[in-house]
Amino acid sequence: MKDEGFDAGFPTEIVREGKVKIVVPKLKAFVTSPSEYAPSRAPVFYNPVMELNRDIAVLALQAYQRTLNREISVCEPLAGCGVRGVRFAIEVKGVKKLVVNDLNVRAFQLAKYNVRMSGLDSRVIVENEDANFLLSGYGAPRKRFDVIDLDPFGSPVPYLDSAIRALRGGGLLALTATDMAPLCGVHPKACVRKYGGKPLRTEYCHELAVRILAGCLAMTAAKHDIGVSIVFSHSTNHYIRVYATIKHGAKRADENIRNMGYILHCFRCLHREPAKGLLLTNGSGKCVECDSKINVAGPLWLGKIFDGQFCELLAKEIIQRTFKQRERILKILGRIKDEVEAPVTYYVLDKLCDMLALPVPSVRKVVEALRKQGFQASLTHFNPKGIRSNASAIDMKELLRKIQSSSGES
Ligand SMILES: C[S@@+](CC[C@H](N)C(=O)[O-])C[C@H]1O[C@@H](n2cnc3c(N)ncnc32)[C@H](O)[C@@H]1O
Ligand SMILES: [Zn+2]
């Protein structure tokens, strides 16, 4: 990067992320106490915590580009200081054209500076529009993008329609959602309003959050006669991320609807079960195990939230990379690889053991014991104490009691 000296009119500094160096707001200058959230205080948005989000996005775009085996066009309509777009242009091979945009004029100016200083003027266009206005300009068939990455404040829902319309058939859409309080059931009304699905404050609420966002995407795409496949998703720090490819056609959209449904959950015994279909037909409203009231999350996406092949491609892509958080990403990818084919929802050992007033055994021990008994069992990246299994909540509790009594004997 050639630094010609940029006067943003506010304190800035140069940071290194991935293979790029960029100018960002000097976050320390905008907070008066350590408890303040610096990125939202600065005049232009930059959040160093999201570096891992951007690292995985780089892997995903490269993996996707390799599957197409041709040059791709990319749009980042909510770009902040431009770090994501600059990283895509430099770290992803085969990016022919990139449109980076932000409504905030100071973000636009900084992104433009970062693009110029990285020598990317010929491939990267920087715009200063409302994201929906910008995307609408790319909605016509020959203008559409191969990849759109929506990384907003809070929810990506306000931009879904225009992003779907601006994406080419087979294109890849990446979504970040940081509004975890609605999605995890702290503000259920806000979640229903935004996403059209009811959340539940269960121990697996982060998976529900992914499924609610994926369901909202699927239903939005269906309106346009477009089908979606969720190729990858992850829940990290304070956000969730969903990667989906789209295909045009009413039949494909009908498949979206077949993947929609509900998750029924009993807070008393922790029984849970998926119920496919947009019309909920569980008549009794009672838990089949303990007869208590059954609670409902959804409608949400009950289809796959990871694709095994895409996960393998991501794992291949990271081999050559020297990301700061490489080990953490490898761990996330490793866990996800194991949960690709696993049942919907996971148990959290702390929750089960708390209910049984038992000490918490190691997750590996429980996974082994479940497999020995012939159950499917795997860890999950969603929670370090989480286990996906086809064992029922009753089976899980019985097994935990057994583990405790046998460790008491030895
Ligand atoms: C979370 S930040 C983006 C961070 C960036 N993607 C990254 O990886 O660092 C969201 C950005 O969206 C911009 N924004 C908010 N509403 C917008 C709109 N309607 N159109 C375009 N940009 C908007 C904000 O100015 C802010 O810079
Ligand atoms: Zn029950």
Side-chain angles (χ1 to χ4, degrees), residues 112-390:
K112 207 163 170 58
Y113 177 77
N114 280 321
V115 163
R116 182 153 39 90
M117 288 306 105
S118 301
L120 296 170
D121 274 336
S122 61
R123 282 192 293 143
V124 183
I125 302 165
V126 187
E127 301 279 14
N128 181 208
E129 302 285 2
D130 169 72
N132 280 321
F133 180 84
L134 176 97
L135 287 166
S136 295
Y138 288 93
R142 280 174 212 289
K143 290 191 166 182
R144 296 175 185 153
F145 295 103
D146 292 300
V147 179
I148 298 177
D149 190 327
L150 290 179
D151 182 52
F153 291 140
S155 172
V157 171
Y159 313 104
L160 278 187
D161 270 296
S162 51
I164 287 165
R165 289 182 51 248
L167 200 58
R168 172 175 298 165
L172 178 73
L173 181 60
L175 308 172
T176 307
T178 62
D179 53 339
M180 297 312 289
L183 282 165
C184 278
V186 180
H187 303 305
K189 281 187 194 160
C191 189
V192 173
R193 264 198 323 270
K194 273 257 140 65
Y195 295 90
K198 185 172 153 304
L200 272 185
R201 284 190 79 175
T202 61
E203 59 278 26
Y204 52 89
C205 65
H206 290 92
E207 179 181 342
L208 290 180
V210 164
R211 292 187 180 280
I212 288 169
L213 171 59
C216 177
L217 168 64
M219 294 308 287
T220 307
K223 283 190 298 183
H224 301 275
D225 282 348
I226 287 174
V228 301
S229 303
I230 312 298
V231 290
F232 191 71
S233 53
H234 65 103
S235 158
T236 313
N237 302 333
H238 62 290
Y239 65 89
I240 54 167
R241 192 80 171 144
V242 167
Y243 291 87
T245 54
I246 67 156
K247 280 204 175 125
H248 291 90
K251 277 196 182 148
R252 299 245 162 72
D254 289 342
E255 280 165 26
N256 287 0
I257 291 161
R258 278 199 289 280
N259 274 315
M260 295 296 292
Y262 297 83
I263 290 174
L264 312 182
H265 180 87
C266 173
F267 283 103
R268 181 151 180 250
C269 76
L270 302 186
H271 168 72
R272 69 285 303 271
E273 61 184 290
K276 279 217 167 180
L278 268 178
L279 293 177
L280 187 58
T281 49
N282 172 289
S284 74
K286 296 271 176 75
C287 172
V288 291
E289 297 289 3
C290 75
D291 216 31
S292 300
K293 177 179 175 259
I294 200 86
N295 292 272
V296 178
L300 44 71
W301 179 257
L302 285 177
K304 280 178 162 281
I305 53 172
F306 320 103
D307 174 86
Q309 274 183 343
F310 197 76
C311 292
E312 272 175 34
L313 292 175
L314 293 185
K316 262 191 206 160
E317 283 308 327
I318 200 170
I319 293 172
Q320 309 290 335
R321 312 268 175 176
T322 52
F323 296 149
K324 285 175 221 146
Q325 302 200 52
R326 189 172 186 275
E327 293 312 310
R328 191 169 170 212
I329 297 171
L330 281 170
K331 196 170 170 189
I332 293 171
L333 294 179
R335 288 265 164 99
I336 290 178
K337 188 172 148 252
D338 288 344
E339 58 185 314
V340 167
E341 298 296 339
V344 172
T345 82
Y346 50 89
Y347 298 102
V348 175
L349 289 188
D350 297 20
K351 180 87 183 171
L352 282 161
C353 290
D354 199 31
M355 203 171 233
L356 300 169
L358 290 176
V360 184
S362 85
V363 272
R364 300 231 173 244
K365 198 172 180 179
V366 180
V367 166
E368 267 172 38
L370 279 163
R371 287 183 185 158
K372 241 187 212 163
Q373 292 199 5
F375 290 113
Q376 212 181 331
S378 64
L379 301 179
T380 168
H381 87 286
F382 279 105
N383 189 311
K385 294 279 175 61
I387 296 178
R388 288 190 188 275
S389 177
N390 55 352

Side-chain angles (χ1 to χ4, degrees), residues 44-47 50 53-54 76-85 101-104 107 129-132 149-154 159:
V44 173
F45 193 87
Y46 171 69
N47 189 354
M50 292 301 239
N53 177 320
R54 291 183 283 267
E76 202 215 345
L78 307 150
C81 64
V83 57
R84 186 179 297 257
N101 173 74
D102 204 287
L103 186 58
N104 173 346
E129 302 285 2
D130 169 72
N132 280 321
D149 190 327
L150 290 179
D151 182 52
F153 291 140
Y159 313 104

